[in-house]
């Protein structure tokens, strides 16, 4: 299993770069960022600074979307980064949440998501493809390689992940829900004539390493409760479309019954008052809390389900201690593994900044 970290592009950008450097030193292979251009700084401006300050980590958005960014521009940005820094990028993409909803926009349709995945991957991999019926290619791009990982919760979007995605991103760490989601993606891939084992499966969720006492754990729950509110935005849409009796696991849908709106100004932030409806049980199921041995045990469960990467959402008050604890007590348990496509894993340096 590989390890990634998901950062917000809060100013100063130098702090984001510093956390990326610390993550690489701790053995993380991927540095992801939010992509919501009105709420945070522009990630594609920060990526070159991260790549220049590190040696091995792969960077990309978790996640971009086809609605607020032109697909050919996204591909060109990735291809440019790959030419400059040697194929160290990955594109996470979904239908759109905060980037579009903060201005009351409309998330992309599932059909638009599918088409965008193919356009971005082909152009970002130095290949040609028709865009709106017009054959296009980046004539200056040669040798760029780009994978596109699809973030999804609903049945139709999960099919897109299985049918055309190079990877699948699940933004919660509940093994029961992950089993269903991963199974749906694998089934879609098989039905499309693809090898399900060729898809990279990434689980992303907050992680907070605590002491064994109850007070430490209670504090950690409050620091990551926002995540259940963020996931609830997507789940509420699924419930609206499919109802509570759909094939989607009830462990995912039941808790949003108490949801009473959402303020995107507090999106992804500890202490978000619009996440008060999220019960402790959901926080514990969706996130990784407790001493290192509990984190390792949950990650083993996820690994047995086929998860290839765990990416930590680092939006809480223990960013550096969490990276340090993972570098010392969690990542080394998987240190003999290899990264995507056989790439050598980023090893902990033993010199945590």
């Amino acid at each position: 299993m590989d390890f990634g970290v998901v950062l917000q592009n809060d100013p100063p950008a130098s702090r984001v770069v510093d956390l990326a450097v610390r993550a690489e030193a701790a053995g993380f292979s991927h540095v992801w960022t939010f992509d919501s251009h009105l709420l945070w700084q522009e990630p594609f401006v920060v990526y070159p600074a991260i790549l220049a300050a590190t040696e091995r980590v792969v960077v990309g958005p978790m996640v971009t979307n086809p609605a607020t960014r032109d697909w050919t521009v996204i591909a060109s940005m990735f291809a440019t980064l790959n030419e400059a820094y040697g194929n160290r990028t990955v594109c996470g993409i979904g239908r759109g949440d905060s980037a579009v909803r903060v201005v009351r926009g409309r998330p992309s349709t599932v059909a638009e998501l599918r088409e965008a995945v193919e356009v971005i991957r082909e152009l970002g991999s130095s290949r040609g493809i028709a865009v709106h019926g017009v054959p296009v290619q980046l004539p200056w791009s040669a040798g760029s390689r780009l994978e596109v990982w699809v973030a999804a919760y609903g049945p139709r979007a999960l099919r897109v992940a299985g049918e055309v995605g190079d990877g699948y991103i699940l933004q919660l760490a509940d093994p029961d829900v992950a089993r269903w989601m991963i199974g749906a993606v694998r089934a879609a891939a098989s039905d499309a004539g693809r090898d399900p084992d060729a898809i990279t499966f990434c689980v992303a969720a907050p992680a907070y390493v605590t002491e064994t006492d109850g007070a430490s754990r209670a504090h950690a729950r409050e620091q990551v409760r926002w995540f259940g509110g963020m996931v609830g935005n997507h789940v509420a849409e699924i419930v609206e479309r499919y109802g509570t009796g759909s094939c989607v696991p009830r462990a995912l849908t039941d808790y949003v019954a108490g949801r009473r709106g959402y303020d995107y100004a507090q999106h992804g932030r500890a202490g978000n008052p619009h996440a008060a409806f999220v019960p402790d049980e959901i926080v514990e199921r969706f996130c990784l809390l407790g001493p290192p041995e509990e984190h390792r045990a949950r990650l083993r469960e996820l690994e047995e389900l086929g998860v290839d990467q765990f990416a930590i959402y680092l939006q809480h008050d223990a960013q550096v201690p969490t990276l340090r604890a993972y570098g010392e007590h969690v990542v080394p348990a998987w240190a003999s593994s290899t990264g995507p496509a056989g790439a050598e894993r980023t090893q902990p340096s033993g010199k945590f900044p």
Side-chain angles (χ1 to χ4, degrees):
M1 181 182 287
D2 283 323
F3 291 86
V5 61
V6 187
L7 305 173
Q8 283 177 341
N9 288 298
D10 285 316
S14 59
R15 173 63 173 170
V16 178
V17 176
D18 176 68
L19 288 171
V21 171
R22 291 172 183 268
E24 181 173 76
F28 287 71
S29 63
H30 287 65
V31 174
W32 304 88
T33 72
F34 282 39
D35 178 13
S36 197
H37 59 291
L38 293 174
L39 298 179
W40 298 286
Q41 291 182 319
E42 170 56 40
F44 283 92
V45 174
V46 180
Y47 291 153
I50 294 174
L51 291 166
T54 57
E55 297 180 359
R56 297 173 298 278
V57 293
V58 172
V59 304
M62 188 176 282
V63 292
T64 193
N65 72 87
T68 60
R69 293 189 183 274
D70 182 271
W71 311 345
T72 62
V73 174
I74 296 175
S76 181
M77 289 190 291
F78 278 116
T80 301
L81 290 171
N82 284 340
E83 188 280 326
Y85 298 100
N87 288 322
R88 292 169 56 196
T89 67
V90 61
C91 179
I93 192 169
R95 293 179 55 224
D97 184 31
S98 64
V100 295
R101 296 188 194 275
V102 74
V103 289
R104 300 181 182 179
R106 178 186 65 85
S108 302
T109 66
V110 172
E112 289 168 337
L113 175 63
R114 178 192 299 274
E115 186 177 1
V117 168
E118 295 178 319
V119 168
I120 293 167
R121 177 177 53 228
E122 294 306 295
L123 292 179
S125 298
S126 302
R127 296 189 291 263
I129 190 171
V131 180
H132 306 307
V134 180
V136 296
Q137 189 165 0
L138 303 175
W140 48 267
S141 177
S144 177
R145 297 191 305 275
L146 179 66
E147 290 191 354
V148 181
W149 297 9
V150 178
Y153 294 102
R156 293 193 303 153
L158 289 169
R159 284 199 296 273
V160 171
E163 291 169 357
V164 300
D166 299 298
Y168 166 58
I169 298 171
L170 171 59
Q171 291 161 310
L172 56 85
D174 180 283
D176 291 335
V177 175
R179 181 178 294 105
W180 184 84
M181 297 285 189
I182 291 172
V185 173
R186 287 184 175 276
S190 181
D191 291 344
R194 301 182 68 201
D195 178 5
D197 292 333
I199 298 173
T200 301
F201 291 92
C202 173
V203 161
Y208 199 114
V209 179
T210 74
E211 302 296 333
T212 56
D213 63 285
S216 295
R217 197 175 193 111
H219 174 78
R221 281 197 297 268
E222 293 311 311
Q223 285 291 305
V224 302
R225 196 177 301 276
W226 63 266
F227 183 69
M230 185 185 83
V231 173
N233 296 329
H234 303 283
V235 176
E237 185 178 71
I238 293 171
V239 171
E240 181 180 356
R241 176 177 292 274
Y242 297 101
T244 56
S246 70
C247 59
V248 180
R250 292 190 62 180
L252 182 61
T253 60
D254 282 0
Y255 83 100
V256 299
R259 183 176 181 268
R260 297 291 183 270
Y262 191 81
D263 181 3
Y264 277 94
Q266 300 295 324
H267 187 63
R269 298 193 184 280
N272 184 341
H274 295 272
F277 73 94
V278 181
D280 288 352
E281 178 191 2
I282 289 295
V283 177
E284 294 276 357
R285 293 182 66 166
F286 285 11
C287 308
L288 269 67
L289 308 177
E293 55 268 25
E294 287 194 42
H295 291 246
R296 293 194 298 266
R298 177 79 69 85
L299 291 170
R300 292 296 185 194
E301 285 188 74
L302 293 170
E303 186 178 45
E304 289 177 0
L305 296 176
V307 173
D308 301 294
Q309 180 181 144
F310 176 61
I312 298 175
Y313 276 98
L314 207 62
Q315 289 69 51
H316 51 60
D317 64 358
Q319 294 178 328
V320 172
T322 297
L323 290 176
R324 179 181 291 112
Y326 262 68
E328 293 175 355
H329 303 296
V330 179
V331 174
W334 282 268
S336 61
S337 303
T338 57
E344 184 179 352
R345 167 187 295 284
T346 301
Q347 300 292 339
S349 68
K351 299 179 180 179
F352 191 88

